[in-house]
Amino acid sequence: MFMATSNSQTLTGRQKGLAACACLMAQGDLERLEPAVRTALDNGVTINELKEAFSQLYAYTGFPRSLNALGVLNKVVESPQPNWQAGKPWTRPVEWDDARKAYELGIKNQTVVSGQPFDYDFCPQDDYYLKSHLFGDIFAGDQLSAADREIVTVAALSGLDGVAPQLAAHKRGAVNMGNSQQLVDALCAWLDHEGYTLRNGFPKGVANINYAQYFTGDSFVCPIKPANLTDDQTTVMPITNVTFEPGCRNNWHIHHGAHQILICVSGKGWYQEWGKAPTALTAGMVIDIPEGVKHWHGAQADSWFQHLTTHVKTGSPESNQWLEPVSDEEYNKLPKQ
């Protein structure tokens, strides 16, 4: 087991690169993974470290996503940049030639990650696989430190649904393997803030088919109904959670007879009124859009984005006037956040 301690509360660019690639790999988001791989390599992650990370994660996300991610990495390094590093040469772990050594190494590593000896007596098969293969064969590689391995694992599990027990266990394991608690907390907060995860209690919803013609890119909608609202309370304006994929935005539009309220809940987005500079949106921000103002809103290019939306009636007849799209030329001129 190769131990290295990371006591800093601040994520380095290298750690962010590993985390972003792991989270996107776990989600199978190959389109966003390619630029994330380039950024990781620019920030000091080596090619061999990414190979090791994507290989390790097959145990958590399956071979198909592992192989797809390695395919993206292979494509990227076909056009290498001068600052990219191959990293230390790969060597075959000696444990691979001795099943007993791999099993014993796995017991040691699993004990450190778990904080105590762990035996899964309910299923001896999985107990053996965990000890001999995951924490033995896989952890025997020397490309990543033990602390880095847990950063990669926590980031990957953060991008998946239905794995809360495993994520909680590996957050503790990340500390046991040499990361500070502050860094683990910062890692999870950073993944959420950057839109790599959507863990805010608001569902993604279904494809926004009814208004797809007024959006560039894919969006999703989920109606939100207050728990104490009855069906006969028709004066309450609907609340909808809207999720934008990276780069998605709606057309310029104008609300008549109501002003719109946006409550940002996840990721990073944009809001712009006609003739004014764009406003960068992050979770917790609230935008009150006056009646009759031409505007648009959507996600930033490198992040998912969610906001709640509702309208407040002003007394005039209500309508929504959809106008021209926000062109790629306009959108691509937006500042990088």
Side-chain angles (χ1 to χ4, degrees):
M1 179 174 63
F2 178 64
M3 287 292 295
T5 301
S6 179
N7 289 318
S8 172
Q9 297 182 27
T10 304
L11 288 169
T12 66
R14 176 182 171 279
Q15 290 168 329
K16 290 178 180 178
L18 282 170
C21 289
C23 192
L24 293 171
M25 175 267 190
Q27 295 170 342
D29 192 339
L30 303 185
E31 184 175 351
R32 294 180 69 202
L33 180 60
E34 183 171 337
V37 166
R38 296 180 187 279
T39 299
L41 294 173
D42 286 338
N43 288 332
V45 181
T46 71
I47 295 170
N48 286 341
E49 286 173 341
L50 282 178
K51 288 181 182 179
E52 183 80 4
F54 292 153
S55 297
Q56 170 185 318
L57 290 178
Y58 104 81
Y60 298 93
T61 68
F63 262 126
R65 292 192 174 182
S66 174
L67 292 172
N68 286 344
L70 287 167
V72 170
L73 175 61
N74 190 22
K75 175 185 175 182
V76 168
V77 299
E78 286 177 351
S79 303
Q81 299 300 309
N83 60 317
W84 293 355
Q85 305 172 54
K88 69 173 71 173
W90 181 84
T91 57
R92 180 184 176 89
V94 296
E95 289 82 2
W96 288 10
D97 298 317
D98 190 325
R100 173 54 59 181
K101 286 184 178 179
Y103 186 75
E104 291 174 349
L105 175 63
I107 292 175
K108 292 178 181 178
N109 284 334
Q110 188 183 43
T111 300
V112 174
V113 170
S114 302
Q116 60 186 2
F118 179 88
D119 293 303
Y120 194 38
D121 295 332
F122 176 73
C123 183
Q125 302 98 309
D126 267 18
D127 187 64
Y128 179 79
Y129 300 153
L130 287 168
K131 290 179 169 64
S132 183
H133 186 50
L134 174 54
F135 293 108
D137 289 334
I138 294 178
F139 271 55
D142 64 356
Q143 294 294 330
L144 294 173
S145 71
D148 282 340
R149 286 188 183 280
E150 285 303 299
I151 284 177
V152 164
T153 302
V154 168
L157 293 175
S158 294
L160 298 175
D161 290 325
V163 295
Q166 290 75 26
L167 175 59
H170 277 282
K171 287 165 109 174
R172 296 190 296 269
V175 176
N176 295 337
M177 285 301 228
N179 298 288
S180 69
Q181 183 63 60
Q182 292 87 348
L183 187 134
V184 175
D185 293 341
L187 167 66
C188 296
W190 179 79
L191 287 169
D192 286 338
H193 182 267
E194 296 300 306
Y196 291 112
T197 60
L198 292 172
R199 299 193 175 283
N200 50 38
F202 293 101
K204 182 179 176 181
V206 299
N208 187 11
I209 298 175
N210 292 339
Y211 293 91
Q213 61 183 314
Y214 305 121
F215 282 68
T216 299
D218 291 334
S219 62
F220 306 84
V221 292
C222 182
I224 305 296
K225 181 178 179 180
N228 61 344
L229 181 66
T230 61
D231 290 336
D232 61 352
Q233 289 178 281
T234 57
T235 59
V236 177
M237 296 297 287
I239 301 172
T240 303
N241 183 50
V242 183
T243 301
F244 301 79
E245 70 170 357
C248 176
R249 65 272 187 187
N250 49 33
N251 291 6
W252 290 98
H253 57 286
I254 300 173
H255 300 291
H256 300 286
H259 60 97
Q260 184 180 28
I261 297 176
L262 308 179
I263 303 173
C264 308
V265 295
S266 179
K268 299 187 299 181
W270 289 112
Y271 166 73
Q272 186 175 19
E273 294 181 6
W274 186 259
K276 295 184 179 180
T279 298
L281 303 178
T282 56
M285 294 180 66
V286 177
I287 301 293
D288 189 351
I289 305 169
E291 178 187 8
V293 170
K294 183 176 178 179
H295 67 283
W296 70 271
H297 37 101
Q300 294 190 20
D302 62 347
S303 175
W304 286 83
F305 177 60
Q306 286 185 315
H307 67 51
L308 303 180
T309 179
T310 189
H311 298 79
V312 178
K313 299 178 181 180
T314 61
S316 304
E318 300 165 40
S319 66
N320 198 29
Q321 182 182 359
W322 289 102
L323 303 168
E324 72 274 16
V326 178
S327 68
D328 288 343
E329 181 180 2
E330 290 177 277
Y331 186 82
N332 292 334
K333 288 179 180 178
L334 295 170
K336 303 298 182 183
Q337 296 296 305

